[in-house]
Amino acid sequence: MRIFLSTSLVVSTIMALSLAAQERMSGTQATMPSPGEQVEQSLATTDGGAIPYLLYQPKRYDADGAKVPLMLFLHGRGESHGPLNVVAKWGPPRRLAAGEHMKYLVVSPQCPRSSFWSKKDQQVRLLELLAHITKTYNVDTDRIYLTGLSMGGYGTWRLAADHPSMFAAAIPVCGAGDPKDGAKLTDVPIWAWHGAEDRTVPHNRSVEMVEAIKAAGGKKIRFTSLAHIGHASWQAAYQSADLYAWLDKHRASNNQK
């Protein structure tokens, strides 16, 4: 029998874990983005380090108004090399940097070269970052969306498997997970993307995750296999209007029914 924690309980727990970091906020940039703006930020973490990130505030954001959905985007290995602004090379932060607008509060952290998104140290930092954002901004915790490409796809599979009740939906792009996690992911709406000709992260790594979830009884899994496309499947994924329309249909509270 699987036991699911409520979204509010999970968020409360990770907020408690990050209290020590919040007390050391002198290491966090104080600049808040204006509505419709993406800015660089940094959060001190409980391990004595920090997690830098890009933060986009929706154009119609109102701190005293309706709660807004949150999108956590995890970049690939290449964007660990360089200043924080390289995170905007691909995916949602790229579109935002180009002047487009989204309805989500978009959080795009940067993973250090010495680690990976799927490793425990970065997973803990991501939870602390989410706790900070949900505490600081008017976030709809029922609509927290998770996505990432390549190394970020690995991180997406890992974070969703370990905290399935936290996310309304997840989109791993050309990443890989552990098929043993299939049963943990049966209730999470997932849309996986992968290029059929990918030689960096083999296409079969997504196939095996999809099959594992289905074998465990999952019916909310969707897979787009892109013919004649190599590793850069994220270019098609994040330009798809259908992807964002699909996200908007999901709520974390509905996943537990």
Side-chain angles (χ1 to χ4, degrees):
M1 179 179 69
R2 298 191 301 274
I3 300 176
F4 294 99
L5 297 177
S6 68
T7 302
S8 60
L9 179 57
V10 173
V11 171
S12 297
T13 300
I14 62 176
M15 285 179 66
L17 289 174
S18 67
L19 284 177
Q22 302 306 313
E23 293 174 354
R24 298 186 295 110
M25 288 298 287
S26 58
T28 301
Q29 294 181 10
T31 303
M32 294 293 183
S34 299
E37 181 184 21
Q38 181 171 247
V39 299
E40 297 186 2
Q41 302 279 68
S42 181
L43 176 70
T45 52
T46 56
D47 60 5
I51 184 165
Y53 61 99
L54 297 178
L55 178 64
Y56 169 79
Q57 193 176 113
K59 198 170 184 179
R60 296 184 178 181
Y61 179 81
D62 181 352
D64 299 318
K67 293 182 180 295
V68 298
L70 167 65
M71 176 187 290
L72 176 64
F73 168 73
L74 306 180
H75 65 75
R77 177 80 282 176
E79 289 71 68
S80 288
H81 303 274
L84 178 56
N85 60 19
V86 303
V87 172
K89 183 177 181 180
W90 303 114
R94 175 190 177 96
R95 299 184 65 170
L96 297 169
E100 295 185 46
H101 294 287
M102 293 185 174
K103 67 180 66 176
Y104 319 99
L105 192 72
V106 183
V107 181
S108 306
Q110 185 176 40
C111 181
R113 303 178 192 182
S114 59
S115 192
F116 297 88
W117 284 132
S118 55
K119 291 184 67 173
K120 185 177 180 180
D121 63 330
Q122 297 308 309
Q123 294 278 299
V124 171
R125 287 184 176 185
L126 290 173
L127 292 176
E128 292 186 9
L129 176 58
L130 284 173
H132 168 66
I133 296 296
T134 56
K135 178 181 179 180
T136 306
Y137 292 89
N138 202 14
V139 173
D140 182 352
T141 56
D142 200 31
R143 300 177 65 195
I144 298 179
Y145 303 117
L146 172 64
T147 186
L149 63 88
S150 193
M151 177 183 71
Y154 281 75
T156 296
W157 282 116
R158 182 73 270 141
L159 197 60
D162 288 344
H163 306 279
S165 64
M166 181 182 296
F167 301 104
I171 302 174
V173 180
C174 60
D178 185 346
K180 294 179 182 177
D181 290 330
K184 300 178 182 178
L185 294 164
T186 55
D187 294 311
V188 183
I190 296 173
W191 189 350
W193 294 66
H194 217 123
E197 306 300 324
D198 194 334
R199 290 183 173 80
T200 302
V201 180
H203 175 263
N204 191 59
R205 297 303 304 275
S206 283
V207 172
E208 63 185 10
M209 289 303 297
V210 172
E211 292 180 345
I213 293 170
K214 288 182 176 179
K219 301 182 184 301
K220 300 179 180 180
I221 181 71
R222 182 173 180 176
F223 182 41
T224 294
S225 178
L226 299 167
H228 313 300
I229 299 296
H231 191 48
S233 53
W234 56 80
Q235 296 187 46
Y238 293 117
Q239 286 300 318
S240 170
D242 289 342
L243 179 147
Y244 302 98
W246 177 84
L247 277 181
D248 293 340
K249 296 177 181 178
H250 300 295
R251 306 287 186 277
S253 55
N254 293 337
N255 299 344
Q256 301 171 38
K257 294 180 179 180

